[in-house]
Amino acid sequence: MLNLILFGPPGAGKGTQSEKIIAKYKLIHLSTGDLLRNEIQAGSELGLKAKTLMDQGILVPDEVVIGMIDNKLKEHKDAAGFIFDGFPRTVKQSEALDQLLASYDESISVMIALVVDDNELLARLLNRGKTSGRPDDQNESLISKRIQEYNSKTKPVADYYQAQGKFVAIDGIGEIDFIFEEINQAISKVTV
Ligand code: ADP
């Protein structure tokens, strides 16, 4: 299996690049943000609880997202691989993911990080908010809160995979196709 983590702050372009990666490598896309928004739309108890936190730009509890990922891995045992988008977001989630994959004799192939500075992120998310309809894209203080959550809780996840020799950083500012080409090169190094 090819198991990729696409890593980066909110607004780094993970969704855009995920679509291109999935089309090319036929991976199953696991976005915890999308899974949570599906739960909200379905009006489930989990969705109701998650919404309160998401609307404040705060991470939902680790157990919630780990459980969702566990279910999806079980559902797609025969997949060519997975692309994890917006997960893991804490070191605890990373440890849980490694354990889950190990139980299938699998592991993370590579973490690809999209690097974008905070000013550019803010501008992109405010712009996305005009059309995304996402409550968490609507105002500057909420976006700052998400970037703050990323800097304090999520950034250490990069060190976790760096220590395993699996971390690759790519400049997330520039042409979408150029960035995708850089991603392809990083993937080709782990698939030969
Ligand atoms: P973005 O990266 O653009 O902020 P996402 O769609 O990945 O957006 O996530 C939106 C919100 O969902 C986050 O701000 C957080 O509240 C919640 N969320 C998504 N994934 C996770 C996760 N792995 N752990 C905890 N909370 C999460």
Side-chain angles (χ1 to χ4, degrees):
M1 276 189 179
L2 172 62
N3 295 311
L4 299 181
I5 300 172
L6 197 55
F7 187 75
K14 300 188 295 288
T16 306
Q17 295 296 337
S18 283
E19 279 178 26
K20 297 175 83 70
I21 296 168
I22 294 154
K24 182 166 165 126
Y25 299 94
K26 314 286 177 231
L27 305 177
I28 303 281
H29 185 210
L30 294 183
S31 156
T32 42
D34 287 350
L35 292 172
L36 289 166
R37 281 184 289 275
N38 291 344
E39 293 288 337
I40 292 173
Q41 202 139 33
S44 71
E45 196 180 325
L46 188 159
L48 284 175
K49 282 192 190 143
K51 185 172 172 25
T52 318
L53 296 165
M54 289 167 76
D55 285 352
Q56 298 173 75
I58 300 171
L59 294 186
V60 306
D62 289 328
E63 295 70 31
V64 171
V65 285
I66 292 165
M68 291 194 314
I69 291 289
D70 190 9
N71 288 338
K72 288 289 165 188
L73 292 179
K74 279 191 197 119
E75 249 177 59
H76 298 282
K77 282 194 180 125
D78 300 325
F82 294 92
I83 173 161
F84 299 94
D85 167 1
F87 178 90
R89 251 180 163 92
T90 63
V91 171
K92 194 167 161 207
Q93 291 177 21
S94 314
E95 290 165 352
L97 177 60
D98 278 358
Q99 272 173 25
L100 282 175
L101 290 173
S103 72
Y104 297 103
D105 275 331
E106 290 293 338
S107 60
I108 289 299
S109 314
V110 63
M111 166 180 265
I112 298 175
L114 296 174
V115 182
V116 177
D117 64 79
D118 289 0
N119 288 337
E120 171 72 11
L121 294 174
L122 181 61
R124 286 186 187 181
L125 290 169
L126 284 172
N127 197 38
R128 183 170 86 182
K130 290 178 197 158
T131 53
S132 70
R134 277 179 51 169
D136 59 348
D137 282 346
Q138 301 299 328
N139 75 71
E140 201 166 324
S141 69
L142 209 48
I143 291 172
S144 298
K145 176 68 193 168
R146 281 155 63 204
I147 296 175
Q148 215 183 308
E149 283 277 273
Y150 172 82
N151 285 328
S152 64
K153 296 180 185 161
T154 306
K155 257 194 179 161
V157 170
D159 302 330
Y160 178 88
Y161 287 99
Q162 180 113 54
Q164 296 185 17
K166 293 179 175 173
F167 179 81
V168 179
I170 287 175
D171 186 355
I173 298 184
E175 282 284 319
I176 289 173
D177 286 333
F178 182 78
I179 296 167
F180 182 54
E181 204 30 62
E182 301 267 296
I183 292 175
N184 283 326
Q185 281 183 25
I187 293 175
S188 72
K189 289 194 181 126
V190 294
T191 50
V192 285

